[in-house]
Amino acid sequence: MPYNFADIEKKWQARWENSHCFESHTDTSKEKFFCLEMFPYPSGALHMGHIRNYSIGDVLARFLRKKGKNVLYTIGFDSFGMPAENAAIKFKTKPHDWTLSNIAYMTEQLKRMGYSYDWRREAITCLPEYYRWNQWIFLQMYKRGIVYQKEAPVNWCETCGTVLANEQVVDGGCWRCGTPVHKKNLKQWFIRITDYAQELLDDIEKDLNPGWPRRVRIMQTNWIGRSEGARLTFKIPELDYELDAFTTRFDTIYGVTFIALAPEHELVRKMQSVMNDDDAKKLSEFVKLVSSQSSIERSDAGAEKLGFKTPFYGINPVTGKKIPIWIANYILIDYGTGAIMGVPAHDQRDFDFCRKYDIPIIPVINPKDGTILDGATMTHAFEEDGIACNSGQFDGMKTEDAIPAMIDWGEREGICKREVNFKLRDWLISRQRYWGTPIPFVYCDKCGVVPVPEEQLPVILPEDVEVKEVGRSPLLDRPDFLNTTCPHCGGPARREADTMDTFFCSSWYFDRYCSPGDTNAPFEKSDVDYWMPVDQYIGGIEHACLHLIYARFFAKFLTDIGLTKYREPFTRLLTQGMVIKDGAKMSKSLGNTVDPTEMVKKYGADTIRLFILFAAPPNNDLEWSDRNVEGAHRFLNRVWRYVEENAENLKKYGGKVIPMSEIKAGNLRDFKRKIHTTIENVTHDVYDEKQFNTAIARLMELTNAIYSLNDDTPEAWELKREAVDVLLNCLSPFCPHITEELWEMLGHSDMLCLAPWPESDDSAMVQDSVIIVAQINGKVRGKFERPAGMAKDELERSIMGEQSIADKTAGKEIVKVIVVPDKLVNIVVKG
RNA sequence: GCGGGGGUGGCGGAAUGGUAGACGCGCCAGACUUAGGAUCUGGUGGAGUAAUCCGUAGGGGUUCAAGUCCCCUCCUCCGCACCA
């Protein structure tokens, strides 16, 4: 009977489903394990990256179930977002219909792979039963002042027709479409994630080391971007304005020769209003020029610095000197206060700017080697530590002492204030898009911005809409959606037409997995208290500074309001590598994709899973190889053939496990040992290392050993049966279908997915004899078999006594002999 | 520029400081076959008839012993990058 994977896989998928064996329940008497994968966006079909992600997760889920853990393992769909709108325009369909039909198709694909999900727990974010809780959580945030509205220069993507959060601007472009992002002044909803900046930072090392890859921890640390310094104020008497600036180098305050503002700074408008028309016009032109630059052009370190000199001056609070105010393109409105004190002698950017515009350069630190810097002749800024000069009472101090001393002094004099600044910005949550969670607010002419009362949730997103163009939400053309009554005064009001960033949905879906279908709350506290935090999270690295930061923030917020009790949602994180073909990431645009469905049709799900898990360790990139898929298929055929052809004998000898102590023949003792070292090693590779490729290699070795044991005695058959049982059991998390089928063929009545993981027997792993490596001066000169456990001196004598070794050491002075028991003897000789 | 990974056969990849190259792919030879792109057996880092020598990016070092530890250099991938 050939290996008919198609029928076998179908059969077992049905059995698993009918027996509900993967459904898990909250049970505090059992040790839980929450295995989570980043849920997919329903773009149409699964790609190999998904298959890899979920195959890794399924191995762990199946393995841990066998280890007796109560495993929560499920999936869902992150199903709000732009592509549905674009598809709707292109195919003249509705985002809702397009999304749900994609979900249906991808669900079939997932089921066809044999993943052991508890489908009752599935979460689909675009359905009102899910997104109403987005709205509810949003209102909880609002109540606690975490949500607010403000007008600010925000990132705008023209192609997507919407604003973006800072995290969603990658290399100055939109994270989805790459379009260069521009700043635009808009009134938007924000979430105060910066309230949690310090905690988000501290917990990286406190709780996520070593559970998270170092790479991700560093990326988040840099993203949060903490820096310590001081805030100081420049008075501008002519404008009756106090301008704040943040600096990490307050020790260079005597070297300030200009002040620079970001073109978006509020003071710019104020200046224009008091300037003469001609100058005001020139200033507007400059601002317009800079804002026409995309973020890429403006934020490139090599970009040319552009400045505009205003007729205004600020007063240096320390020296009392008048400092000219400039507006410069390299000052970011997003960082610090959007204004800087310019110290060209000690900051390369300021230096470049001053050389270009002929602004004086005053050194206030000299190098420790005694060099005296001269502002007129310096060729670059001196940014290292040194000795203070031209700095009044602080002259002669070393930089490391001058910084705290000067800030201390400044604080006492009321000139500055210690401040910690973060690069992390508040999370811009509004999107000018249709296919998302409606933001639960209304605008009333009388009462202003009013939250929708919780009992009126959900604010339903109309499904029957036609999306005609990018950049204009169809909600704006839906009076039935827009027009409402004010919950406060009952008068006419208008709904917020913006929707939420979809990262809101994905920030708490794992909580929902814990108590699906709850209609009274986003989740039941007792469920979440039991299952959360996630024990193992698996997904791509691309979310390092997006989803993974937002979800961490949510965890902290939900705990602060008493809904949960964990502060970090993901205890361990595995970031799997990309799937590569012909040296490049698989992508539709490159035309190098491999369709999982086709592969499954041709080889079966077990083969694809095996290939993908065997070809590389999970965190490496994985090169797709048709040849290696064939190889994986060949291995399964080999397993199939052996069990099938020997089923009669194997069945006859089932059940009785012969202990090592009763086995006499050397070949059988070796075989028994192989069985148990395999268990030991596979267990270690899967659980401790998550190195599935080596685990599979061990199982291939065991298979080879089974084939190689040419011994027809009943004793040998008992052992072969033990070996086959172990092989099938250990292979089952990787290839669950074929192993179930063969397990059943051997007469087991239980399902293999429920059978406990085998235990290795220490007594079966004891070595009878070992190969001793004989070295002379560190070079291998022979290998000899010896009984295991020989004493050092005995072993030394025995190896020295070998003729070939004695010949090679004859006539030479033996300096010393290193003996590593059961391993090697190294003879160090002279001459 | 800063930070973090990597660099091992023809390829994917293995190796608690102790036999470098497990396992697989490919390749070579053979067996069985009408046939083989099925299956099985054996071989497979390089040089050499051989003993042996050389081999983990390159160079130094520590050690009885280094792919593994330390220092320097090169290459490569990734992240960040005018962050005040």
Side-chain angles (χ1 to χ4, degrees), chain A residues 296-323:
Chain A
I296 306 179
E297 292 166 312
R298 250 181 91 180
S299 65
D300 180 3
E304 200 190 356
K305 292 185 174 35
L306 300 174
F308 181 94
K309 190 176 182 182
T310 74
F312 303 101
Y313 292 85
I315 307 298
N316 183 325
V318 174
T319 63
K321 277 199 229 167
K322 284 169 76 181
I323 312 288

Side-chain angles (χ1 to χ4, degrees), chain A residues 135-202:
Chain A
Q135 296 170 339
W136 185 85
I137 293 168
F138 194 76
L139 291 176
Q140 306 314 304
M141 290 178 169
Y142 177 74
K143 269 196 226 165
R144 285 157 183 86
I146 297 291
V147 155
Y148 66 100
Q149 233 182 348
K150 77 167 174 194
E151 180 167 322
V154 294
N155 306 302
W156 176 262
C157 172
E158 197 58 46
T159 307
C160 295
T162 186
V163 297
L164 298 169
N166 272 16
E167 289 77 17
Q168 293 154 28
V169 179
V170 178
D171 291 335
C174 169
W175 70 297
R176 275 196 187 284
C177 64
T179 307
V181 162
H182 288 263
K183 290 286 179 200
K184 206 170 171 178
N185 239 353
L186 289 170
K187 192 171 194 187
Q188 301 285 298
W189 289 100
F190 289 85
I191 295 181
R192 249 182 248 284
I193 190 172
T194 51
D195 278 9
Y196 290 86
Q198 189 64 53
E199 201 188 333
L200 285 167
L201 181 68
D202 291 344

Side-chain angles (χ1 to χ4, degrees), chain A residues 41-44 78-91 93 95 98-99 102 160 175-176 433 435 502:
Chain A
Y41 177 79
S43 56
D78 189 11
S79 45
F80 266 140
M82 281 261 316
E85 289 184 66
N86 295 337
I89 296 169
K90 199 166 157 194
F91 303 118
T93 161
W98 183 82
T99 302
N102 287 348
C160 295
W175 70 297
R176 275 196 187 284
R433 304 294 312 195
W435 191 237
T502 56

Side-chain angles (χ1 to χ4, degrees), chain A residues 362-477:
Chain A
I362 304 173
V364 290
I365 302 168
N366 280 317
K368 285 181 176 161
D369 65 6
T371 315
I372 305 295
L373 296 175
D374 176 1
T377 57
M378 285 172 79
T379 54
H380 57 85
F382 176 71
E383 295 183 326
E384 288 104 276
D385 286 3
I387 310 290
C389 63
N390 297 325
S391 296
Q393 55 171 308
F394 302 101
D395 280 359
M397 287 185 87
K398 290 183 196 156
T399 300
E400 58 267 37
D401 302 326
I403 293 175
M406 289 176 76
I407 296 178
D408 282 346
W409 172 83
E411 285 197 316
R412 278 198 306 272
E413 299 287 318
I415 288 167
C416 74
K417 221 178 162 246
R418 268 199 171 69
E419 193 171 278
V420 173
N421 201 24
F422 292 95
K423 202 185 83 154
L424 182 73
R425 298 289 84 197
D426 275 345
W427 179 9
L428 168 48
I429 203 86
S430 323
R431 294 292 176 274
Q432 289 70 51
R433 304 294 312 195
Y434 154 66
W435 191 237
T437 304
I439 293 176
F441 276 83
V442 304
Y443 298 93
C444 169
D445 288 340
K446 249 197 329 217
C447 312
V449 186
V450 182
V452 174
E454 287 174 23
E455 57 278 11
Q456 287 179 24
L457 298 182
V459 176
I460 296 275
L461 184 72
E463 288 165 9
D464 56 332
V465 300
E466 215 178 311
V467 189
K468 290 187 204 125
E469 53 175 328
V470 175
R472 181 174 172 81
S473 167
L475 292 178
L476 295 168
D477 303 321

Side-chain angles (χ1 to χ4, degrees), chain A residues 236-276:
Chain A
I236 307 169
E238 290 167 273
L239 295 170
D240 192 24
Y241 190 89
E242 302 204 332
L243 176 68
D244 280 359
F246 172 76
T247 179
T248 55
R249 296 297 302 274
F250 189 71
D251 61 312
T252 61
I253 184 74
Y254 285 87
V256 176
T257 58
F258 69 103
I259 292 166
L261 304 178
E264 297 86 356
H265 199 282
E266 61 160 14
L267 182 55
V268 173
R269 248 177 288 166
K270 197 170 168 99
M271 285 174 165
Q272 278 178 309
S273 66
V274 299
M275 283 160 102
N276 67 51

Side-chain angles (χ1 to χ4, degrees), chain A residues 340-358:
Chain A
I340 60 143
M341 59 180 224
V343 186
H346 305 292
D347 183 292
Q348 191 59 41
R349 299 156 296 175
D350 296 346
F351 184 89
D352 295 342
F353 188 73
C354 289
R355 276 283 179 263
K356 176 166 177 187
Y357 291 106
D358 227 9

Side-chain angles (χ1 to χ4, degrees), chain A residues 612-625:
Chain A
I612 234 168
L613 295 165
F614 179 62
N619 37 353
N620 284 25
D621 284 348
L622 178 145
E623 173 81 29
W624 184 267
S625 155

